[in-house]
Amino acid sequence: MSAVSSFLRLLASEVRLIAGRRRNQAGVAVLALVPIVMAVAIRASTAPRPGRGPDFFSSIAGNGFFVALAALAAEITLFLPLAVATLSGDAIAGEAHGGTLRYLLTVPVRRTRLLAVKYLSLVVGAAIGVAVVVLAALAAGGLLFGLGPVTLLSGTQVGLGDALGRLAVACAYLTLQLAALAAIGLFVSTLTEQPIGATITVTLLVMTMWILDGIPQLDGLHPWLLVDRWSAFGDVMRDPIFWDTMATGSLVALAYTAVFLSAAWARFAGKDITS
Amino acid sequence: MSAALAVRTSSLAKTFGAQRAVDGIDLRVPAGGVYGFLGPNGSGKTTTIRMLLGLVRPSAGEIEVLGAGTPGAIVDVLHRVGALVEGPAFHPYLSGRANLRRLDAADARADPRTSRTRIDAAIERVGLTPAADKRFRAYSLGMKQRLAIAAALLAPRDLLVLDEPTNGLDPQGTREVRALIGALAREGTTVLVSSHLLSEIEQVCTHLGVMHAGRLVAQGSVAEVLGGADAVTRVDTPDFVPARDVLVRLGARDVRDLRDAAPGVEALETVVAGVPPERVVAELVAAGVRVRGFAVTAPGLEERFIALTGEGFDVSG
C-alpha cells in the first residue's frame, strides 16, 4: 500500500513538473488554438467546400461536434506527436542534461521505478494533449455552430450523448497510439543527454513513417508502421462502430510499446550516469 | 573489522574506453570520521564517488557502503546517504523549496506528512531561508551549493558524501560549510568530503585519502598521512657560515640559504631530524651565532599533498 502511495506521490510530482513548465503550457495553448482557428475559419468562409467524400470538415458547418473530429485528424499528424516527442525528450535526456538525474537516482529512486513513473507521466501528458484538442474543439464548435444530434457516416442519426461516447472511444484509441510513440520516445531519451536531440529524433521518426506510409509501392511495409492506422479513429463514426482496423492498430501499438519499453529498460538499468 | 568502516572498497577500478579513471583503490572510510578525499582535478575522485553511489558501475573490484555489498543492496542503503555529486543540479525554473519538494517526493521512504518541516529545517540549516522561494536560476553559485547541501540533509543520514562542497562559496560560506561538517560529524554522521583545495579540508578532517592519476597514493588518519614528512627548521641569523656548521654537525640535511630566495631575508632553512629544537638553539647560541628568529614548522597538508601528487596545475589525464 505504501509502495503504491509513494509511487503515486512521485508520479504526481512528475506531472506537476511537466504541467508547471512554461514551454509545455505554451504547447497546450497551441494544441487548443488549432481547432479554434479551424472553427473560426469555417464560420468566416461562406462558400461550401466541394465534396471529397467523408472528411469531417464538410460536416462542421452543420454541427460543431465535427470540429472535434476534424481537429483530431489535423493534429494527430504532427502537433500531438510533436508534443509527445517534446515531453519524452525531457523525460530522461532532459534530467541527464540538467544533472538532476544523478540526484534523483541517489535519493535513491530505483531505475525501473523512475522509468515507470516517467513513462506513465508521458502517457498522462498524451491523454491531456488529446483531451485539450477535443475540449477546445467542442467549445469552439459549440459556440460557433451549436451542438446537436449527429449524423453518422452511414447516414443514421444518433443523439449528442451517444456521439460524445464515440468521441471518447476515439480519444482513448489515439491516446493508446501516442502511448506507443511515448515508449519510443522514452527509449530514445535514454540514449542521449540532449533533450532537443531526442525530440527531433522522435519527430523525424514519425515524419518518416508518414512518408513511407504514403508511398503505395511500399504497401507491404505499411501494416508494420505505427502511424498506419492512426486515422482509423474515424471508424467510431460508422454504424455500428467498425472495430477491425482499430483493434489491429491497438495490437500494433501495444507491440511497439512492449518492444521499446523493454529496450529503454535494458539501456537505462545498467547505464553509467556520468552527466 | 569492516563493521567500523562506513565505506570500504577493494581493488575498485573503472575504465572508460582506454582510460583507467580509477585504478584499483582500497578506500577505508571509518564510521564516524570525517574523511578528506583529496586529489587534483581529474584524479578519479568523482568517478569513485559515482561508483559508491551506484551511478557508475565498477569495471572491477568491490564496494561496501554502510555494510551493503551488492549493487542492489547499496541502492537500499542510499536513503541513509546524503550526497552532493559534482556540483549542484536542480530544475532552473522551480524555486529552491519546490526543488527540494520534488526530491522528497522521489524518496519512497520519506513521510509526506513531515515533508514541509524537514524541507524547512534543511533550508534553515544551510542558511537559505530568505532565498527559498526564489527560482533556482536566479541563485548565485554559493546559493546553489547550499541548496545541494540542504538536499543532502532532507532525511537523517549516516553517511554524507560531499563532492567539492565549497566550490564557488566565498570565504565566509566556506567557513560555514566547514562548521556544518564539524557539527554533523559530532552528531555521529560519517562524512566523506572531496576537494582539490586543501586548506578547506585540512581543519575538519580526521582521516585523509589522496588520489593521484586514478590511484590512492596515501590514506590513513591525518597524523599518519602527514607523518611521512619532516618538520622544517628555520633560523634567522646574519651569521650564515657558523650557523650552517652547527646545523650540519647536528645532522641537518638540505641546508638552504634563504638569502637567495627573497631580498632582506637573512635566514636558512633545514631539516634536523631527531634533535630537539631547544638543543639546536642552545648549540647555535653556544657557537656565537646571533639567533634573531627560530621556528620549527610541522609540514602542512599542502606540502604533503604536493609531495604526493606532484607540483603544478596539470590535470592528470
Side-chain angles (χ1 to χ4, degrees):
Chain A
M1 191 57 215
S2 88
V4 173
S5 70
S6 73
F7 184 89
L8 291 178
R9 188 176 175 221
L10 180 53
L11 181 61
S13 157
E14 190 65 35
V15 172
R16 259 201 307 278
L17 189 71
I18 292 174
R21 190 157 177 190
R22 289 273 164 77
R23 203 258 331 266
N24 297 341
Q25 293 164 357
V28 164
V30 170
L31 287 179
L33 204 59
V34 170
I36 295 171
V37 168
M38 281 169 51
V40 170
I42 290 168
R43 188 88 179 88
S45 71
T46 43
R49 280 157 49 96
R52 271 197 304 127
D55 72 355
F56 301 112
F57 277 93
S58 43
S59 315
I60 288 177
N63 191 341
F65 174 81
F66 284 98
V67 178
L69 293 167
L72 283 178
E75 300 213 46
I76 195 62
T77 53
L78 179 61
F79 282 23
L80 284 169
L82 187 58
V84 169
T86 306
L87 295 184
S88 55
D90 289 344
I92 302 292
E95 298 264 14
H97 184 71
T100 44
L101 182 59
R102 62 176 184 265
Y103 283 105
L104 275 180
L105 292 177
T106 52
V107 156
V109 181
R110 281 187 176 275
R111 296 186 183 198
T112 313
R113 182 167 171 255
L114 185 62
L115 269 186
V117 164
K118 288 286 183 185
Y119 179 65
L120 286 181
S121 73
L122 292 181
V123 176
V124 170
I128 290 175
V130 171
V132 161
V133 171
V134 164
L135 292 178
L138 288 177
L143 216 62
L144 294 178
F145 306 105
L147 296 172
V150 175
T151 309
L152 300 177
L153 296 175
S154 336
T156 42
Q157 204 177 51
V158 297
L160 187 59
D162 184 325
L164 289 176
R166 289 165 184 263
L167 184 59
V169 171
C171 288
Y173 175 72
L174 287 181
T175 301
L176 180 72
Q177 297 299 326
L178 291 174
L181 184 64
I184 299 177
L186 190 68
F187 169 62
V188 174
S189 203
T190 62
L191 298 179
T192 170
E193 287 165 15
Q194 294 300 330
I196 307 265
T199 300
I200 291 176
T201 306
V202 175
T203 309
L204 285 181
L205 275 172
V206 173
M207 294 294 98
T208 308
M209 284 196 281
W210 280 124
I211 292 171
L212 295 177
D213 201 48
I215 302 176
Q217 286 77 5
L218 296 177
D219 58 358
L221 183 68
H222 293 170
W224 304 98
L225 296 173
L226 180 62
V227 303
D228 184 53
R229 294 179 188 83
W230 281 7
S231 50
F233 76 89
D235 291 349
V236 296
M237 297 309 287
R238 299 185 193 279
D239 191 33
I241 296 180
F242 182 68
W243 291 104
D244 289 11
T245 318
M246 281 196 287
T248 317
S250 299
L251 285 179
V252 170
L254 289 174
Y256 267 88
T257 306
V259 167
F260 281 96
L261 282 186
S262 310
W265 179 82
R267 164 73 185 167
F268 189 61
K271 189 189 183 191
D272 281 349
I273 308 297
T274 53
S275 61
Chain B
M1 180 185 100
S2 73
L5 292 174
V7 176
R8 197 170 80 113
T9 73
S10 334
S11 313
L12 183 65
K14 179 65 188 182
T15 314
F16 290 113
Q19 196 202 337
R20 288 184 81 77
V22 175
D23 195 1
I25 66 172
D26 300 316
L27 216 55
R28 298 277 183 277
V29 179
V34 179
Y35 185 100
F37 197 32
L38 293 172
N41 291 322
S43 56
K45 301 189 300 290
T46 297
T47 302
T48 304
I49 285 175
R50 281 178 183 272
M51 286 192 281
L52 297 182
L53 297 171
L55 293 172
V56 166
R57 194 159 285 204
S59 307
E62 278 159 25
I63 299 178
E64 205 179 292
V65 178
L66 298 174
T70 62
I74 288 175
V75 174
D76 279 335
V77 297
L78 280 185
H79 70 277
R80 291 160 58 199
V81 181
L84 185 137
V85 197
E86 218 177 9
F90 293 93
H91 293 285
Y93 46 89
L94 293 183
S95 70
R97 193 190 302 275
N99 267 299
L100 293 187
R101 225 178 278 140
R102 164 140 177 91
L103 286 175
D104 196 62
D107 186 350
R109 293 170 201 257
D111 183 351
R113 285 166 302 184
T114 61
S115 173
R116 180 185 295 266
T117 2
R118 283 181 293 109
I119 289 171
D120 285 347
I123 289 174
E124 177 79 44
R125 183 138 202 199
V126 297
L128 204 59
T129 310
D133 294 308
K134 274 194 200 164
R135 283 180 170 223
F136 179 73
R137 66 195 304 170
Y139 279 16
S140 67
L141 184 50
M143 289 155 86
K144 292 177 177 176
Q145 199 73 262
R146 284 162 195 259
L147 186 63
I149 297 174
L153 298 176
L154 272 182
R157 313 289 193 190
D158 295 325
L159 170 65
L160 274 180
V161 178
L162 304 174
D163 190 12
E164 306 272 0
T166 54
N167 204 6
L169 292 181
D170 51 20
Q172 177 67 27
T174 304
R175 225 165 55 203
E176 286 171 21
V177 167
R178 233 172 8 225
L180 186 60
I181 291 175
L184 290 163
R186 278 191 297 280
E187 290 165 21
T189 308
T190 306
V191 183
L192 169 63
V193 53
S194 91
S195 185
H196 66 281
L197 289 175
L198 314 155
S199 51
E200 293 184 345
I201 268 194
E202 196 171 0
Q203 306 160 37
V204 287
C205 293
T206 58
H207 292 73
L208 291 173
V210 181
M211 290 282 286
H212 179 55
R215 292 180 164 278
L216 197 58
V217 290
Q219 175 174 245
S221 69
V222 173
E224 282 164 7
V225 172
L226 296 187
D230 297 310
V232 172
T233 303
R234 173 182 164 135
V235 183
D236 285 73
T237 176
D239 308 320
F240 181 76
V241 177
R244 189 185 56 189
D245 292 344
V246 171
L247 290 169
V248 169
R249 183 157 50 78
L250 291 170
R253 317 180 253 114
D254 312 330
V255 183
R256 285 204 301 139
D257 189 347
L258 294 184
R259 282 177 302 189
D260 305 337
V265 170
E266 289 186 307
L268 48 86
E269 220 176 49
T270 184
V271 174
V272 197
V275 183
E278 60 271 22
R279 192 175 151 222
V280 177
V281 181
E283 296 273 348
L284 285 168
V285 173
V289 174
R290 288 169 289 173
V291 178
R292 290 176 178 163
F294 184 84
V296 180
T297 324
L301 186 49
E302 180 116 20
E303 287 78 16
R304 185 68 184 130
F305 181 71
I306 295 206
L308 288 167
T309 64
E311 210 150 348
F313 291 101
D314 293 345
V315 170
S316 42

